[in-house]
């Protein structure tokens, strides 16, 4: 590994030549056993090749017609300027992609692709790990089941999943899990192997287990070990284990594994253009909190159907209007504020979606290293992005992404 | 594991309930670490879920239109009778599927689907491991490169792949590798972990490595260790390592990994209906000798384009007529006879395809546990089959499959 600090150009996975050659040279090989798929700069290749490192289930698009997205690229967006709130410097939309290690980015305006760029090893037909963007798919599925009367947001997790009746989740409501207002002994510190998320990563097999590992072998064994810490319902704390519980509840309610639910309820009805890959643990359960690998345009389709209130432009309503209304009502700012997200003033969290504050009603699915679906109803705009930023924390790229998305939105409002 | 002998009904993976439940019960779980994906009866589930056990590369179909196969099912085939050559008993086509543990079977007659059945956990949209049927795809790709003048069948392997210049392959010709008339110290005994194929399986990571494993880490490291034993070109001996070498040659000639070659040259031009999954080793190289997982209908499309001389019914010639002619010329019966395939009298082997003897000019791609593409030019028929027979040897199911295919062919010739 090079020990100087690499930027987006010097860490470009094509010029790095990862896994190129027949065979790849020893210093160009990436290995799951070394967790190369989860660290910079090698992750810049791996994020677009996760199925080659890990077992995956297929989220099938079926055999139906593809939802064709009209394309009318415009050349005025690259010059859109914005100010970084962290250092006050000015940047343009065209320049920011290298700054925040973008792998792919697309802007939909009124349902038409007006901007689309691919970098490094990522292409239109390349599934890329979406990390926690996955959560917003799962949260939306849960809202769909609530809209159908098959789940009660006031139900207690211990009743919905008896296996969790002695865990910290037992007396949390489904709504608290969806909105992440549970109070649990689980830290979401990605760089700390002793954290809750580190233990969960071991249980899921996402990264190599330490020798002599005696922890949980899958997500089902891991979740019951999480204890309560404090009182549920008081404040928002971002913990991926909530989404694992939510995925379990959705799967159990539907009587199918999450990959199958997602295929039947979203991938097929939306006319996605590619199958998606879903990372699984040894039980076959997909990683609900961060394991989905879609192509960029399919992430855009999901954003667009959300923007359209759950309806498809060609007819049909795969996501109930009531589910959309519940999500877009947004979450409690009082519960969100104490979490201290400096770049989301006035924000909130609802049903696994982030509300970004401001007067556009914008909300977003957000994943570490730069994954996003950003929906701006006022601008009739959806931005989707894949990234491979060196740092596994949203704060590392929020100052160069959230204001950029908003600047593009303002530009589209002003210039149509 | 049950210790009584299970038949196709009592080993049905649906009634077995493998990996069902959220979570699956302990006795219903399958694990790569126990090689459950490679042994009966658990393999009856795993063969249709290989990507959930192992890393895979995608063989993409692209975004083009699907080659629509007309369907006109007929009900007269189930009664077609044939005699088992091993015990002289009579069986019908309708009865044989349970006898030889068929997971899926389809008959094309003059390009129309006249028969199609799915069993257990296998469905029209389920990729299933094709095992050595994969070889015939690779052999066809090599013939395409020969037809283009980009490969010379008389070239020596040591010249084509310098990494093999000190191996037993060095002075073998490309043609000898394609026709498996190389003479090598490599035994193809699937049930013997100390065999050549067992060592290769370890190198490829298909099965768990013994503790303290110090062997090759991938196919590129393994192939140069194979020594010569005898003289090349004398007789046919079925050894999967030949196909690994052939896959390396094809990939190096094209300058792409085999999954990419197969997508660009066969999957996309043929209008396949699904992506295929290709098992890979730690170098990212697909398992050329047996790692392809297509859906049944896509295997049928490949058989049909072969039957049509490399041309598509809707126009276009993805596989050169010269490549087809070279394959369908068949191999040397003199080289084949000493190998002693009792159920292939008059047979031969050419470019990774098996010629079955008889007067129909029939030839076949064949994989352990019952995988097949069977092309009968005289009957204008293609049969494709997936299976999960308990025994990993073609001799275990040849007596109930080859005569059955031929009986269906005779019936179609007689009754149109």
């Amino acid at each position: 590994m090079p020990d100087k600090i690499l930027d987006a150009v010097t860490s470009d996975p094509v010029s790095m030549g990862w896994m190129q050659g027949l065979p790849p040279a020893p210093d160009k090989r990436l290995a799951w056993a070394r967790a190369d798929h989860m660290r910079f700069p090698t992750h810049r290749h791996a994020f677009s090749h996760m199925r080659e490192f890990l077992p995956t289930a297929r989220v099938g698009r079926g055999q139906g017609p593809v939802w064709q997205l009209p394309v009318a690229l415009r050349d005025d967006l690259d010059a859109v300027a914005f100010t970084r709130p962290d250092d006050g410097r000015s940047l343009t939309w065209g320049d920011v992609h290298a700054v925040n290690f973008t792998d792919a980015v697309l802007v939909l305006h009124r349902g038409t692709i007006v901007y689309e760029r691919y970098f490094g090893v990522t292409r239109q037909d390349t599934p890329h790990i979406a990390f926690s963007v996955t959560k917003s798919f799962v949260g939306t599925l849960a809202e769909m089941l609530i809209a159908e009367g098959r789940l009660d947001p006031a139900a207690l997790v211990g009743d919905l999943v008896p296996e969790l009746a002695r865990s910290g989740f037992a007396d949390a409501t489904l709504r608290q899990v969806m909105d992440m207002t549970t109070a649990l002994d689980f830290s979401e510190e990605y760089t700390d192997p002793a954290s809750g998320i580190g233990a969960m990563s071991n249980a899921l097999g996402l990264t190599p287990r330490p020798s002599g590992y005696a922890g949980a072998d899958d997500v089902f064994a891991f979740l019951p070990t999480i204890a309560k810490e404090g009182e549920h319902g008081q404040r928002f704390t971002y913990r991926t284990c909530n989404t694992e519980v939510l995925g379990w509840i959705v799967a159990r309610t539907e009587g199918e594994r999450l990959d199958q639910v997602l295929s039947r309820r979203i991938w097929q009805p939306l006319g996605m253009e590619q199958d998606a890959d879903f990372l699984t643990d040894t039980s076959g359960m997909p990683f609900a909190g961060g394991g989905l690998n879609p192509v960029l345009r399919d992430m855009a389709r999901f954003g667009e159907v959300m923007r359209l209130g759950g309806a498809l432009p060609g007819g049909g309503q795969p996501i109930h209007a009531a589910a959309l209304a519940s999500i877009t009502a947004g979450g409690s700012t009082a519960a969100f504020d104490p979490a201290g997200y400096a770049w989301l003033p006035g924000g909130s969290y609802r049903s696994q979606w982030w509300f970004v504050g401001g007067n556009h009603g914008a909300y977003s699915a957000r994943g570490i290293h730069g994954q996003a679906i950003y929906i701006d109803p006022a601008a009739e705009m959806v931005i989707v992005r894949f990234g491979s930023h060196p740092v596994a924390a949203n704060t590392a790229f929020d100052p160069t992404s959230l204001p950029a998305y908003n600047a593009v939105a303002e530009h589209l409002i002003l210039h149509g």
Side-chain angles (χ1 to χ4, degrees), chain A residues 107-126:
Chain A
V107 181
L108 276 180
H109 184 220
R110 298 177 184 142
T112 294
I113 296 174
V114 295
Y115 190 91
E116 188 174 22
R117 293 275 193 287
Y118 296 93
F119 303 92
V121 294
T122 310
R123 295 290 175 270
Q124 188 190 325
D125 67 348
T126 314

Side-chain angles (χ1 to χ4, degrees), chain A residues 10 45 66 90-91 100 109 130 134 142 172 223 228 314 317 338 376 379 401 404 410:
Chain A
T10 53
H45 172 90
V66 172
S90 184
L91 270 176
N100 60 24
H109 184 220
T134 311
L223 294 175
K228 193 172 174 181
Q317 177 96 23
D376 188 318
S401 58
E410 295 282 1

